[in-house]
Amino acid sequence: MALPKIDTPVYDLELPLSKKQIRFRPFLVKEQKNLMMAMEADDKETIERNIKQVLTNCTLTDGVVIDNLPVIDVEFYFIQLRARSVGEIVENRYICTNEVDGKQCDHKMDAKFNLLDISVDINPDAKDIIKINESISIKLKYPEFSLVEKLKKKENAVDIAFEVVIDSIEYIFDGEQYHYAAEVTRKELTDFVESLNQEQFGRLEEFFNNLPKLNKKIDLKCGKCGFDHAISMEGLESFFE
């Protein structure tokens, strides 16, 4: 006699940047086991690979490629998935950094928060169309998750900055024609970016300095010294310390 099958709930989610509508299921015990093993290994590459695999497995909507989603969408999606799979409430521990009589307090403070309350902060003044001169402008897109893998092969900050910029160009407009990145070679894009002066390249970097971020603010009072902490958590790793 066959064992009974367990019904799995299904959830709907709109990703904050791409606005894609995602239907997903919670991850299963075998998938949670792989994630826990990756977390225990404390290897960033292994963790990222397992997150991508779990999201791929749990996504029920056809045509969704995790690598093609903005990094922040992937992080937000994973937090929502983790909340629906394991539980919405997470408890982290923080160290009181307040100085008392010349020494750091070091008291351990526990904080609970709801993963579903985590939002994405988007700078309303950030512009994705960057004017290079009177005739040329560049349309940038949010860095995609596939870029995370590419950057591992870069060893210095300059190479990383160029890789991020080139990979995030959607099109270049010369006043008459749109030149889409998907329709030109990588070398052509590289040569174009390298032809910019420092001030022009700095305008592009400004876009990446104002990328949306996962954000959650927590107010904590130290139970030892009484100091009031305002803790701002940003980025996926800060929510699972």
Side-chain angles (χ1 to χ4, degrees):
M1 181 180 295
L3 292 174
K5 291 186 177 181
I6 301 175
D7 291 334
T8 303
V10 174
Y11 300 95
D12 292 302
L13 174 69
E14 180 180 271
L15 300 182
L17 301 187
S18 64
K19 302 301 180 183
K20 283 186 177 294
Q21 302 291 327
I22 302 286
R23 176 159 289 190
F24 67 95
R25 64 162 174 83
F27 54 71
L28 306 177
V29 170
K30 61 181 180 180
E31 292 158 341
Q32 182 180 3
K33 180 182 176 183
N34 289 337
L35 277 174
M36 292 176 65
M37 291 173 63
M39 297 290 185
E40 290 174 0
D42 198 25
D43 178 68
K44 192 172 183 179
E45 185 174 347
T46 303
I47 293 171
E48 289 166 353
R49 185 171 60 249
N50 276 273
I51 286 176
K52 182 172 77 170
Q53 188 59 59
V54 168
L55 288 175
T56 300
N57 291 353
C58 296
T59 301
L60 304 179
T61 304
D62 292 336
V64 176
V65 179
I66 301 302
D67 268 340
N68 295 344
L69 296 175
V71 173
I72 294 300
D73 272 359
V74 173
E75 293 184 348
F76 182 80
Y77 183 12
F78 179 73
I79 283 178
Q80 296 288 314
L81 175 62
R82 196 273 185 195
R84 299 301 189 183
S85 304
V86 180
E88 300 172 9
I89 306 301
V90 170
E91 184 171 337
N92 281 354
R93 175 166 289 185
Y94 301 93
I95 302 297
C96 178
T97 57
N98 184 44
E99 285 197 6
V100 180
D101 297 328
K103 295 182 179 180
Q104 185 168 295
C105 176
D106 284 338
H107 181 67
K108 295 180 176 62
M109 306 175 294
D110 292 326
K112 291 183 179 180
F113 59 92
N114 192 322
L115 290 174
L116 297 181
D117 291 338
I118 295 171
S119 60
V120 175
D121 278 354
I122 300 176
N123 185 343
D125 297 324
K127 295 179 175 59
D128 57 0
I129 297 180
I130 315 300
K131 193 171 183 178
I132 299 301
N133 56 35
E134 290 303 316
S135 59
I136 297 176
S137 58
I138 300 175
K139 169 70 164 63
L140 296 172
K141 60 183 179 180
Y142 294 121
E144 296 176 347
F145 192 70
S146 59
L147 187 58
V148 174
E149 183 69 28
K150 296 178 185 177
L151 294 184
K152 293 172 187 172
K153 301 173 184 177
K154 303 298 177 182
E155 297 181 355
N156 61 68
V158 174
D159 286 343
I160 290 174
F162 268 80
E163 190 73 26
V164 170
V165 169
I166 293 168
D167 208 73
S168 301
I169 293 175
E170 186 172 333
Y171 63 74
I172 299 166
F173 180 61
D174 63 9
E176 296 181 356
Q177 184 177 354
Y178 290 91
H179 304 272
Y180 288 90
E183 298 172 355
V184 300
T185 67
R186 186 78 174 184
K187 185 179 186 307
E188 287 175 305
L189 288 174
T190 302
D191 290 344
F192 175 83
V193 172
E194 289 180 346
S195 72
L196 301 175
N197 61 41
Q198 288 297 319
E199 194 268 338
Q200 291 167 338
F201 189 77
R203 295 179 203 171
L204 300 180
E205 288 185 305
E206 189 65 23
F207 170 80
F208 300 100
N209 292 336
N210 290 286
L211 288 175
K213 298 176 182 178
L214 292 175
N215 185 49
K216 174 69 179 176
K217 290 181 171 59
I218 297 179
D219 294 322
L220 279 179
K221 179 184 285 291
C222 177
K224 181 178 179 182
C225 71
F227 185 78
D228 290 318
H229 292 265
I231 298 174
S232 181
M233 297 182 293
E234 294 182 354
L236 184 62
E237 294 178 0
S238 66
F239 298 104
F240 302 104
E241 295 178 338

